[in-house]
Each structure stands twice: as C-alpha cells, then as structure tokens.
C-alpha cells in the first residue's frame, strides 16, 4: 500500500562534478526498481536545476533541503517554496535536526515551512528525532510525539507529507538504534499521526528512518512494518552506496 521512498540528502556537499553520481544513479534505476521504490535526491540548491535536468526521464525526483515559510520579500539569502519548485524541486526536507540545531528552528517554524511546501504542491519531508541525552533519559517517545504534533500541518493528506524519524545521535555517526527501538518509535509515530490526521491518513503516510543507513544495514531496517523507506545522508553521495539501499528497499 505504501510505496517505499529512498531519499538522499546531500547536505552542504556537491559540486557540478557530483552530478556524475546522479547520472550513474539514473542509469541504475531500472524499470523494475522504479515500479517498486521511489527515489529522491536533495542536492545543495546550487545544483537543483542541473540535477533536475540530468534526472529528467529517469524517474528520479529532485528536492531541496529547506525553504523559507514566506512566499517572497525581504529575506536575504533565503529561498521560497515557489522558487524551489521553479528550480525543479518536487519535494523539500523541513526540520532537519541540523537546521533545528544550527538555525534554532522550532516545531512552529517547521510546520510553517511544511505548509509553504504543500502550498506549492510539493512533498514536505518533515524530520523529527531525539538527541542522545533525551534517549538516555527515556524521553525518546515523548520528544518525538511532541515534534510530530508541533510540526505536521493540520488536515494534510498522505501524499502531501512524509515523516522522517532521524535520531540526532545516529546522524553521520555510524550508530543506529536497535531494530526494536526503530520499530517502537515508527509504530508510535503512526499512532500520533492517527490522532492528528485520522487512522486512514496515518495508515497511508510514509515514515522513513534516517541515521547512518548504509547498504549493509538497510535490509534489516527497511524490512520493519512501519518503516517505509530511508532518508540517507553520507551514503547518498555515491551512486554505488545509494543504489545498494534502493535495492534493499
Ligand atoms: C541525514 O542527515 O539526514 C542523515 C541521515 O545522515 P547520515 O545518513 O549520514 O547519518
């Protein structure tokens, strides 16, 4: 019922030469894979337009890593959802923990950004996840519940949003939660979504896992019932690694 999505977040990495990796991904994204798994690459915004052009016809979608909540105006250096759509994006990551930490983004900011993304008919990938201290204090479930409640816009449908559960301590560290912990949090996120959006929408909404996903651990994580794909950082920069994850999905 839920087609898995494997999304790559290139973060502040990638120059024009990196588009070669995207071309290799496009060649490896066979019709069989296309039928079974959705693929998205979110390069830095300097590469958005050429990435969209080089992915054209391959079935790979291209997205952005953040946007401003407002439509236009005096916001030097910022980009609106409409600009990103115009540049070839069909999805935008919002509320990544690095933005929450580096730019002080709150749940309310993330919700406003998600609304802007949805307003441009793009997919909002809404990130949530606890810090190591919060997990050690036994607060992972409650922290993530609060983030989902505060960051997901009211009345959205399952094709407008994706939730990405990314424990902050697992991002770029090589560490991952246990399979049981991932299963527990994902099931709990679906319960929270059911309370917010209704059972039917929650059942159709994709929940991705993110945090040190690589070809070697993807199969086990992606086999979990409530894990509907992955948000991948480091391993999305190289076609061979990323396609290993897509194949696992
Ligand atoms: C991320 O930043 O979204 C991420 C999951 O990074 P990594 O895969 O490198 O842990």
């Amino acid at each position: 019922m839920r087609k898995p999505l494997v999304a790559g977040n290139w973060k502040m990495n990638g120059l024009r030469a990196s588009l070669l990796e995207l071309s290799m991904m496009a060649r490896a994204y066979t019709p069989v894979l296309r039928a079974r798994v959705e693929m998205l690459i979110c390069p830095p915004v300097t590469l958005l337009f050429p990435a969209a052009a080089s992915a054209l016809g391959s079935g790979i979608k291209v997205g952005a890593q953040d946007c401003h909540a407002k439509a236009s105006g005096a916001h030097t250096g910022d980009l609106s959802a409409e600009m990103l759509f115009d540049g070839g994006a069909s999805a935008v990551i919002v509320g990544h923990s690095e933005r929450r930490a580096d730019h002080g983004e709150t749940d309310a900011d993330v919700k406003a950004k998600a609304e802007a993304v949805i307003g441009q008919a793009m997919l909002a990938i809404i990130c949530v996840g606890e810090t190591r201290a919060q997990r050690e204090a036994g607060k992972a479930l409650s922290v993530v519940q609060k983030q989902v409640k505060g960051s997901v816009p009211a009345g959205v449908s399952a094709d407008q949003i994706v939730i990405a559960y990314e424990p902050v301590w697992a991002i770029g560290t090589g560490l991952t939660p246990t399979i049981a912990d991932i299963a527990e949090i994902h099931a709990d996120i679906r319960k929270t979504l059911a309370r917010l959006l209704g059972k039917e929408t929650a059942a159709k909404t994709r929940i991705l896992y993110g945090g040190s996903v690589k070809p070697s651990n993807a199969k086990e994580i992606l086999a979990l019932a409530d894990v509907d794909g992955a948000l991948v950082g480091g391993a999305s920069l190289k076609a061979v690694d990323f396609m290993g994850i897509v194949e696992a999905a």
Side-chain angles (χ1 to χ4, degrees), residues 120-181:
Q120 291 299 319
M122 292 186 287
L123 181 69
I125 301 177
I126 301 170
C127 301
V128 295
E130 82 287 356
T131 62
R132 171 168 287 290
Q134 288 164 335
R135 174 156 288 273
E136 281 169 359
K139 292 185 181 153
L141 285 177
S142 62
V143 165
V144 170
Q145 280 165 12
K146 187 165 171 280
Q147 288 176 329
V148 172
K149 280 185 208 149
S151 308
V152 173
V156 290
S157 59
D159 55 357
Q160 292 177 311
I161 61 159
V162 162
I163 306 294
Y165 166 60
E166 301 203 301
V168 178
W169 53 273
I171 294 178
T173 58
L175 303 170
T176 53
T178 65
I179 288 297
D181 285 343

Side-chain angles (χ1 to χ4, degrees), residues 7-11 93 96-98 127 164-168 170-175 209-214 230-236 245:
N9 172 15
W10 281 9
K11 311 193 191 197
I93 298 169
H96 191 282
S97 63
E98 287 153 15
C127 301
Y165 166 60
E166 301 203 301
V168 178
I171 294 178
T173 58
L175 303 170
Y209 169 77
S212 297
V213 177
K214 2 179 221 264
L231 180 54
V232 184
S236 70
I245 297 168

